[in-house]
Amino acid sequence: MTSDDQLQQVRERINAIDADLLRLISERAACAQAVAKIKDAHGESVKYYRPEREAEILRRIKAENPGPLDGEEIARLFREIMSACLALEKPLKVGYLGPQGTFTQAAALKHFGHSVHAQPFGAISDIFREVEAGACDYGVVPVENSTEGVVNHTLDMFMRSPLLIAGEVTLRIHHHLLSNAKDLAAVRRVYSHQQSLAQCRGWLDRYLPNAERVAVGTNADAAKRAAAAEDAAAVASEAAAELYALRVLAQRIEDEPGNTTRFLVIGSEDSPPSGHDKTSMLLSCRNEAGGLHRLLTPFAKQGLSMTRIESRPSRQGVWDYVFFVDVCGHRQSPEVEAALAELKGAANLCKVLGSYPEAVL
């Protein structure tokens, strides 16, 4: 058998598999429509989007994946299938920190898929307001970076917002230097968000020590500014390069190869248990010796793993602080429920910000 004959056989097999995939995806979409009809029969208040159900499916798919595609790629493919099927039930409106081309947009699409109606907003407070008003079903906001720490504006919004955390997304951040210039020697200014400039400080010190660094609101805004000049560059994403037709002068210039940003999905409700969950809360105590120790003791007594603690000024008084705490487990679990019951007696403030599935990487 010739190589052409072998190729023809493989191609015929691919065609047959594609036909099977099309049939099965269509069957899945029909099932989604059937689910919508069943839910519609129970009234408009029924939830169409089930973050715990999606997280459960993606974890199962990754665990059962035989290869050769890796687990992350398989999860991405199934996420898009679920996104398209959900759009048949009820298209979701999701707000993100814009403009187009930001990492927050990438996080929103990673979590919800490309079949949602993603809407950019100019500020984190705008996203909270639109979700609170019901103009968006969910919002996606950055909360912390693995090298530069927390996004304080997001934490501060939770102090006064009734919204809850319904999910989380982790996104590996790769920064590129984008410009109209032909080479580094022509670059006189570098635009980017202040955190991105900090994440690339070492590279910029080494290769562009004399270029002015200008902090702007978002990396997409940086790319837009760079696109309007011949001697400027932006530290931004590959998506921003395509969107604003910029040349990539240097790839992956972040100082830390594992640079990752965590985003939160906010909505009017949190999520039922998925089996792999986190609970976030806002705590405060009296400013006295042992106050913080008393706040953390209930977690230790219940054997709960605390994955994060951050302090922020409460704005209620000088040197008065609140603590943002993440623990492993859902608030409906006996351990978390017991810890929360004890905290309500020990803390000045104990506000649960939501229980939600851990990010599916």
Side-chain angles (χ1 to χ4, degrees):
M1 182 181 295
T2 67
S3 60
D4 288 342
D5 291 336
Q6 291 175 325
L7 284 173
Q8 183 60 31
Q9 283 189 350
V10 173
R11 286 167 180 161
E12 290 175 358
R13 177 58 179 152
I14 289 174
N15 290 341
I17 292 171
D18 287 344
D20 288 340
L21 287 173
L22 180 60
R23 176 180 56 80
L24 291 172
I25 291 173
S26 297
E27 285 184 17
R28 195 189 195 286
C31 287
Q33 291 178 316
V35 167
K37 291 180 181 179
I38 294 170
K39 289 181 177 180
D40 286 341
H42 287 79
E44 295 181 358
S45 62
V46 176
K47 291 178 62 176
Y48 289 88
Y49 174 60
R50 297 293 300 271
E52 82 288 357
R53 169 69 175 156
E54 288 200 0
E56 177 188 350
I57 292 172
L58 292 176
R59 288 195 180 94
R60 174 171 54 81
I61 292 299
K62 289 183 70 174
E64 296 176 356
N65 175 33
L69 293 177
D70 64 29
E72 186 173 344
E73 187 66 18
I74 284 292
R76 185 185 67 80
L77 292 171
F78 271 82
R79 172 73 77 189
E80 292 298 336
I81 293 172
M82 290 191 291
S83 177
C85 291
L86 177 62
L88 292 174
E89 297 182 53
K90 180 183 183 295
L92 293 179
K93 295 180 181 178
V94 178
Y96 68 89
L97 186 62
Q100 291 185 3
T102 62
F103 288 113
T104 311
Q105 181 189 28
L109 296 178
K110 177 182 178 181
H111 187 80
F112 288 101
H114 285 70
S115 295
V116 297
H117 297 312
Q119 185 173 353
F121 292 96
I124 290 172
S125 57
D126 293 339
I127 300 171
F128 273 81
R129 183 176 61 250
E130 293 299 307
V131 177
E132 288 177 20
C136 289
D137 298 299
Y138 295 94
V140 178
V141 292
V143 68
E144 63 179 328
N145 178 265
S146 59
T147 59
E148 292 302 313
V150 298
V151 179
N152 290 326
H153 193 186
T154 297
L155 297 185
D156 290 343
M157 287 301 303
F158 280 114
M159 293 188 199
R160 54 183 182 271
S161 174
L163 296 179
L164 296 172
I165 303 171
E168 68 171 356
V169 193
T170 57
L171 189 69
R172 184 64 61 85
I173 303 298
H174 295 304
H175 293 302
H176 309 297
L177 190 74
L178 316 179
S179 180
N180 285 322
K182 294 182 179 180
D183 53 41
L184 295 179
V187 175
R188 298 290 180 265
R189 292 183 312 284
V190 178
Y191 296 105
S192 195
H193 188 276
Q194 59 183 3
Q195 280 212 346
S196 299
L197 291 173
Q199 292 162 21
C200 303
R201 185 183 297 114
W203 191 94
L204 293 171
D205 287 345
R206 188 177 309 114
Y207 294 102
L208 290 172
N210 299 318
E212 179 187 6
R213 300 174 196 178
V214 183
V216 295
T218 66
N219 291 350
D221 183 33
K224 185 177 181 180
R225 290 171 183 250
E230 295 298 326
D231 62 349
V235 175
S237 66
E238 190 173 5
E242 296 176 3
L243 186 63
Y244 295 100
L246 288 165
R247 181 182 291 109
V248 179
L249 293 184
Q251 294 181 318
R252 300 193 176 191
I253 66 172
E254 62 273 8
D255 297 330
E256 296 292 334
N259 185 25
T260 301
T261 295
R262 178 178 176 232
F263 301 83
L264 297 177
V265 178
I266 54 174
S268 59
E269 298 179 349
D270 58 358
S271 171
S274 72
H276 299 272
D277 302 290
K278 287 182 181 178
T279 296
S280 296
M281 61 198 76
L282 182 63
L283 305 174
S284 71
C285 60
R286 289 182 292 274
N287 187 8
E288 60 185 23
L292 180 57
H293 180 269
R294 282 190 289 275
L295 284 184
L296 302 183
T297 297
F299 303 133
K301 287 173 61 176
Q302 297 299 326
L304 295 172
S305 174
M306 185 172 61
T307 60
R308 187 184 65 136
I309 180 169
E310 298 286 346
S311 63
R312 291 290 294 150
S314 68
R315 302 184 180 180
Q316 302 295 319
V318 179
W319 310 124
D320 189 23
Y321 289 86
V322 295
F323 299 92
F324 292 85
V325 176
D326 292 345
V327 297
C328 292
H330 196 280
R331 62 172 161 178
Q332 293 180 14
S333 71
E335 297 82 4
V336 177
E337 194 172 27
L340 289 173
E342 187 173 346
L343 276 169
K344 289 178 181 178
N348 285 354
L349 170 68
C350 178
K351 178 183 179 182
V352 177
L353 301 178
S355 291
Y356 49 91
E358 294 180 7
V360 180
L361 302 178

